[in-house]
């Protein structure tokens, strides 16, 4: 299964301490270099996300970086770089799945007949399969999803400092 992910899914799963759901569910994840090199370490990214990128000594074995080889169509130029490049890479690879949360990015991907899941879709799939959390114990996936929604609400209101105070 070929799965391409943009920035948002990494952000949320890192904040939820559930990033390793990606390789557990999908094996190898493909992402454009701009996600790992620009967007995740960006000063406006949450501190735990920046910290994860800074502690990397190499690219995780389950993660593959792949840049698009063709220029974007005009409508894709309106998207963030990670979303735009993820859609282009997914098209080039004829990926089975695109992991993306942004509404405009999802719409652009779906217009190109790409199958899209957001972070909630990843968490629901983990729950359906009865997967364990990062610590290897059963999780209340409903509580994890509720926490993700609180993160989204805080983030959309520009409360990054509040996220950091909560340890999220």
């Amino acid at each position: 299964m070929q799965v391409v992910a943009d920035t948002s899914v990494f952000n949320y799963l890192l904040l939820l301490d559930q990033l390793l759901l990606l390789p557990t569910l999908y094996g190898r994840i493909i992402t454009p270099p701009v996600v790992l090199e620009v967007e995740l370490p960006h000063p406006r990214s949450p501190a735990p996300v920046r910290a994860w990128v800074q502690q990397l000594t190499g690219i995780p074995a389950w993660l593959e970086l792949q840049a698009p080889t063709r220029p974007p169509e005009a409508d894709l130029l309106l998207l963030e770089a990670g979303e735009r490049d993820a859609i282009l890479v997914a098209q080039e690879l004829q990926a089975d799945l695109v992991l993306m949360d942004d509404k405009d990015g999802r719409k652009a991907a779906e217009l190109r007949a790409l199958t899209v899941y957001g972070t909630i879709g990843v968490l629901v799939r983990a729950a359906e399969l009865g997967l364990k959390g990062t610590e290897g114990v059963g999780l209340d996936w409903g509580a994890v999803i509720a926490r993700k929604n609180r993160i989204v609400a805080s983030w959309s209101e520009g409360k990054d400092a509040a996220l950091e105070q909560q340890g999220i």
Side-chain angles (χ1 to χ4, degrees), residues 1 4 6 8 13 30 38 40 58 72 87 90 99-100 103-104 112-113 118 132 134 141 164-165 168:
M1 174 178 249
V4 177
D6 90 324
S8 61
L13 291 176
I30 302 163
V38 177
L40 290 175
I87 290 169
L99 301 176
M100 178 179 298
K103 184 174 82 170
D104 293 333
R112 289 163 173 78
K132 306 292 185 193
T134 302
W141 289 107
E164 290 184 31
Q165 286 177 350
I168 307 176

Side-chain angles (χ1 to χ4, degrees), residues 63-156:
L63 186 61
E64 178 183 330
L65 300 183
Q66 183 165 335
T69 60
R70 62 188 182 105
E73 295 91 10
D75 66 317
L76 293 180
L77 293 173
L78 300 173
L79 301 175
E80 296 288 333
E83 295 153 0
R84 177 194 65 228
D85 286 3
I87 290 169
L88 289 169
V89 169
Q91 284 183 286
E92 291 173 12
L93 297 175
Q94 298 179 352
D96 300 293
L97 182 61
V98 177
L99 301 176
M100 178 179 298
D101 286 295
D102 179 77
K103 184 174 82 170
D104 293 333
R106 291 172 64 98
K107 182 178 178 183
E110 290 166 350
L111 285 172
R112 289 163 173 78
L114 296 168
T115 301
V116 183
Y117 282 7
T119 303
I120 296 291
V122 173
L123 296 172
V124 167
R125 185 71 182 135
E128 289 172 347
L129 294 174
L131 293 181
K132 306 292 185 193
T134 302
E135 286 81 36
V137 296
L139 281 181
D140 177 351
W141 289 107
V144 172
I145 290 170
R147 184 171 177 219
K148 189 265 184 188
N149 290 335
R150 286 193 305 276
I151 291 169
V152 171
S154 293
W155 211 342
S156 65

Side-chain angles (χ1 to χ4, degrees), residues 17-79:
D17 195 28
Q18 298 301 321
L19 183 64
L20 293 180
L21 285 177
L22 292 178
T24 301
L25 287 169
Y26 307 113
R28 181 177 60 121
I29 302 294
I30 302 163
T31 197
V34 70
V35 169
L36 192 62
E37 297 168 0
V38 177
E39 293 187 345
L40 290 175
H42 192 278
R44 290 181 48 196
S45 291
V49 173
R50 292 190 315 267
W52 179 79
V53 174
Q54 290 169 352
Q55 63 82 33
L56 289 176
T57 57
I59 298 170
W62 53 268
L63 186 61
E64 178 183 330
L65 300 183
Q66 183 165 335
T69 60
R70 62 188 182 105
E73 295 91 10
D75 66 317
L76 293 180
L77 293 173
L78 300 173
L79 301 175

